[in-house]
Amino acid sequence: MPFAHPQTKGAEFAVWNDMTSFSGGLSSYDIFNRMKDAVVLVSEKTWYGEKTAGQTSEQFMERVNKVQNRIATSNPSRFVESKTDVVLKYDFESMKNNKVKDLSGNEYDAKIKGRPNVVDGYDGKSLQLDGDNFIELPLSGIGYPYSVSFDIKLDEGSLNDATLFSGKDGDFYLNLNQTGKLGYQRNEKTSDGSISKFENFTFGHNYSLKENEWQNVVLVGDKKKTTLYINGKQVSTSVQTNKLGGRVNDSSTFVLPLEKIGQGIKGKIDNITVLNKALSSNNIKNILSYDPGQRNVAYQQKVTTSSEYNQSQRAANITDGDLLTRWGSQYNISAAEADNQWIMVELDDSRSIDTVKLFWERARAEKYTLLASKDGNTFEEVYSYPATSGVSAGDIDTIHLNDVNAKYLKVVMTERKAVNGTKYGYSLYELEAYSKTELAGAEKLLEEAEKLLNEPTKGAKANKERIELIAAKDELESYLGSNHEFDGFTFHVLVRTLETKMDSYKNRL
């Protein structure tokens, strides 16, 4: 290209240095993801070859789409070909020659290395992991965005250094650094020559899987972090654990390794599904093997506020279901005005609300109250923060309510939290509100089970099946009679177990 050719004018882009600090958690994959679109545009502008003047944006994107995911010799974005959003799906209902069929239609069939022990789960068959066997996949991994879901029941005493997912890009541990909690470590080849291998950051989730109990686990990876859902409820976002000084948590992303699943684990695993998109709490049901039972009634509802910092931080962001968008309040005003701000969600109808969740950015409220109203005029305080004396909580406030019926939910903030010594405006990613769930179907099932147990057996020997049916019935009755927050997955497991035991008893009779 001739020196100072006109096509080079404006051919520049930047990846900001303050976001690539060695201590902040950024990976080579993150840098690639941030710069690839800019490279596409700059290369189009500066390429001194084929004439493309007059092309439409659609024609340009058609050319881009041919090469943006991968090329024959390189796949830096860890792109996985898929006919639909569902990349792979295993349910272990049938296996042949140690092969697990992929139900997604992509033919990513898996193999069981070691003993292929298929046993009864809560809903059909599941794979028994014995600490030596594991699932081997024909994929190395998948880059974000992605969502992965599976059901697991750990044996007692199984919290060790086993890995849920492992491969060349990293490992997702059942017990990160003997904390008993879930977490992961990247394996960055670019840092092999580094003394500190600084890019091999570790990240933790503030959650431990339970033993002797079925749990549904969903991990969602996006361009900023990973989010952990247990039984359909968000419980944790990833946090950098090996802090080297300076910036932290610029990124806690993770390329999900898929070479091996369940290595070293003892317990049962079932219903493994991987999607090539990042789900939110509002559409998490798209990957679950059950009905979560509760829905966020604030999703896409009308929002009003005392102020907005700018259009990109508008109030409507707190009900859009996207944890990468947020509302920000004005702070280039007097300190008193900046402290006293409010934001309100108007639901489509009055509803019985039992849980409200607030997802804060670091610039959260040190003090606020949650108000509820049926008409938008008369409000009553249903919660105040902090509920007890002490330091501020983390990023997510989960508020449990009793007998609150409301159409309007209003958060009134009175004191801002400083970030690195500076008080910005309030910053809120999402407000979610959940209504109570009807359980009439379970009550009817219990009546059917009781009726079945009272039928004459006509001499059939079904003592074992009868005992198991009684136990399943009693467990569901106990769950429905206890005073606790509704858990859609546990409810699903208990209902399906009772249905299965009823079928077994009927067949025996």
Side-chain angles (χ1 to χ4, degrees):
M1 179 182 291
F3 178 73
H5 190 278
Q7 283 183 261
T8 62
K9 291 182 178 179
E12 180 179 63
F13 66 91
V15 178
W16 296 106
N17 290 333
D18 63 348
M19 292 299 290
T20 57
S21 167
F22 75 91
S23 66
L26 269 290
S27 68
S28 299
Y29 182 86
D30 291 325
I31 303 304
F32 167 77
N33 186 66
R34 283 158 171 74
M35 69 182 290
K36 67 175 183 177
D37 290 339
V39 170
V40 167
L41 291 170
V42 170
S43 63
E44 179 69 11
K45 182 172 180 60
T46 60
W47 191 257
Y48 195 63
E50 178 185 355
K51 292 184 180 296
T52 54
Q55 67 176 330
T56 65
S57 60
E58 290 78 12
Q59 290 170 331
F60 173 61
M61 288 309 301
E62 183 180 356
R63 295 168 59 221
V64 169
N65 290 334
K66 291 180 180 179
V67 296
Q68 72 168 349
N69 291 319
R70 64 180 300 172
I71 57 175
T73 58
S74 181
N75 186 13
S77 64
R78 303 300 188 267
F79 174 74
V80 179
E81 294 282 355
S82 182
K83 297 177 181 178
T84 67
D85 292 340
V86 182
V87 175
L88 59 85
K89 185 179 181 68
Y90 308 130
D91 68 1
F92 304 102
E93 293 305 312
S94 62
M95 288 202 313
K96 186 177 182 180
N97 298 328
N98 291 16
K99 180 184 284 189
V100 184
K101 183 174 178 57
D102 174 22
L103 303 177
S104 71
N106 292 317
E107 299 184 356
Y108 295 130
D109 295 344
K111 293 181 179 179
I112 306 300
K113 305 297 287 186
R115 186 184 179 192
N117 190 12
V118 176
V119 298
D120 289 335
Y122 71 86
D123 187 8
K125 300 297 183 181
S126 64
L127 177 66
Q128 178 71 54
L129 297 169
D130 57 18
D132 294 320
N133 62 349
F134 58 89
I135 308 166
E136 183 180 69
L137 279 66
L139 302 172
S140 63
I142 185 170
Y144 55 76
Y146 61 80
S147 302
V148 56
S149 173
F150 57 94
D151 301 335
I152 191 167
K153 183 180 181 181
L154 295 175
D155 292 343
E156 187 172 351
S158 61
L159 286 176
N160 49 32
D161 291 328
T163 53
L164 285 166
F165 301 95
S166 55
K168 67 178 184 180
D169 288 307
D171 298 279
F172 193 100
Y173 294 102
L174 189 67
N175 178 10
L176 178 66
N177 296 332
Q178 303 303 313
T179 61
K181 298 180 179 181
L182 298 171
Y184 51 94
Q185 179 175 357
R186 299 190 191 124
N187 181 22
E188 282 278 344
K189 295 297 184 183
T190 53
S191 66
D192 283 348
S194 168
I195 296 176
S196 61
K197 291 182 73 66
F198 62 82
E199 288 183 331
N200 286 16
F201 289 108
T202 57
F203 304 88
H205 279 283
N206 189 26
Y207 190 84
S208 301
L209 286 180
K210 298 177 182 178
E211 298 177 340
N212 294 322
E213 180 180 320
W214 277 105
Q215 290 184 281
N216 171 258
V217 181
V218 176
L219 184 74
V220 177
D222 58 38
K223 63 182 180 180
K224 185 177 181 180
K225 64 190 181 308
T226 63
T227 304
L228 181 67
Y229 297 83
I230 300 294
N231 298 353
K233 294 181 174 62
Q234 182 176 333
V235 297
S236 174
T237 54
S238 49
V239 176
Q240 183 179 335
T241 59
N242 57 340
K243 301 176 181 178
L244 306 178
R247 296 178 65 98
V248 294
N249 284 335
D250 285 333
S251 168
S252 57
T253 59
F254 189 49
V255 173
L256 183 68
L258 290 173
E259 294 177 33
K260 300 175 184 177
I261 297 178
Q263 189 170 29
I265 289 178
K266 296 180 180 179
K268 299 176 182 178
I269 192 167
D270 199 2
N271 299 319
I272 302 173
T273 303
V274 176
L275 301 186
N276 58 12
K277 62 181 181 180
L279 299 175
S280 70
S281 57
N282 299 297
N283 57 17
I284 199 77
K285 63 180 181 295
N286 293 349
I287 199 174
L288 300 179
S289 59
Y290 65 97
D291 181 358
Q294 283 186 316
R295 68 185 183 93
N296 172 21
V297 296
Y299 179 50
Q300 292 188 339
Q301 298 302 300
K302 181 181 177 181
V303 186
T304 53
T305 183
S306 53
S307 71
E308 295 175 336
Y309 182 69
N310 56 31
Q311 182 62 18
S312 68
Q313 298 179 29
R314 57 188 179 273
N317 288 344
I318 74 165
T319 60
D320 65 358
D322 187 351
L323 289 175
L324 296 178
T325 64
R326 60 189 174 94
W327 162 72
S329 66
Q330 272 289 351
Y331 62 92
N332 294 323
I333 49 181
S334 70
E337 289 178 304
D339 275 333
N340 292 282
Q341 298 285 317
W342 58 266
I343 191 164
M344 182 173 68
V345 176
E346 179 183 349
L347 306 179
D348 58 356
D349 201 355
S350 289
R351 298 187 178 276
S352 178
I353 307 297
D354 62 1
T355 304
V356 173
K357 290 186 177 181
L358 300 175
F359 297 81
W360 297 97
E361 203 247 357
R362 288 192 299 169
R364 59 161 295 143
E366 287 276 38
K367 294 181 180 179
Y368 69 85
T369 56
L370 176 64
L371 308 181
S373 172
K374 295 179 181 179
D375 58 11
N377 295 315
T378 303
F379 287 83
E380 66 170 326
E381 181 181 310
V382 294
Y383 176 81
S384 65
Y385 179 89
T388 58
S389 60
V391 297
S392 294
D395 298 333
I396 305 171
D397 292 351
T398 301
I399 304 166
H400 300 295
L401 304 173
N402 293 315
D403 300 322
V404 172
N405 193 283
K407 179 178 172 66
Y408 300 86
L409 295 170
K410 187 175 184 179
V411 182
V412 179
M413 296 148 281
T414 56
E415 185 177 331
R416 293 168 292 159
K417 179 182 179 180
V419 178
N420 297 328
T422 301
K423 286 191 174 183
Y424 299 98
Y426 297 107
S427 188
L428 185 66
Y429 288 112
E430 202 77 8
L431 182 150
E432 297 177 352
Y434 294 88
S435 59
K436 295 181 179 179
T437 305
E438 295 294 331
L439 304 176
E443 298 288 354
K444 184 177 180 180
L445 184 65
L446 287 170
E447 292 175 3
E448 294 175 358
E450 185 68 29
K451 182 179 178 181
L452 180 61
L453 288 168
N454 289 330
E455 290 180 358
T457 61
K458 299 179 182 179
K461 294 182 179 180
N463 290 338
K464 175 178 178 291
E465 289 80 4
R466 183 180 180 86
I467 291 172
E468 290 178 349
L469 173 56
I470 293 173
K473 171 179 167 292
D474 290 346
E475 193 168 5
L476 179 57
E477 282 182 327
S478 176
Y479 177 79
L480 296 178
S482 59
N483 184 21
H484 54 68
E485 182 180 358
F486 180 82
D487 180 339
F489 180 72
T490 299
F491 175 70
H492 169 73
V493 169
L494 294 176
V495 167
R496 288 296 295 121
T497 300
L498 179 55
E499 290 173 338
T500 301
K501 299 305 180 185
M502 288 173 67
D503 289 340
S504 296
Y505 186 62
K506 289 176 185 177
N507 292 336
R508 185 64 172 167
L509 293 183

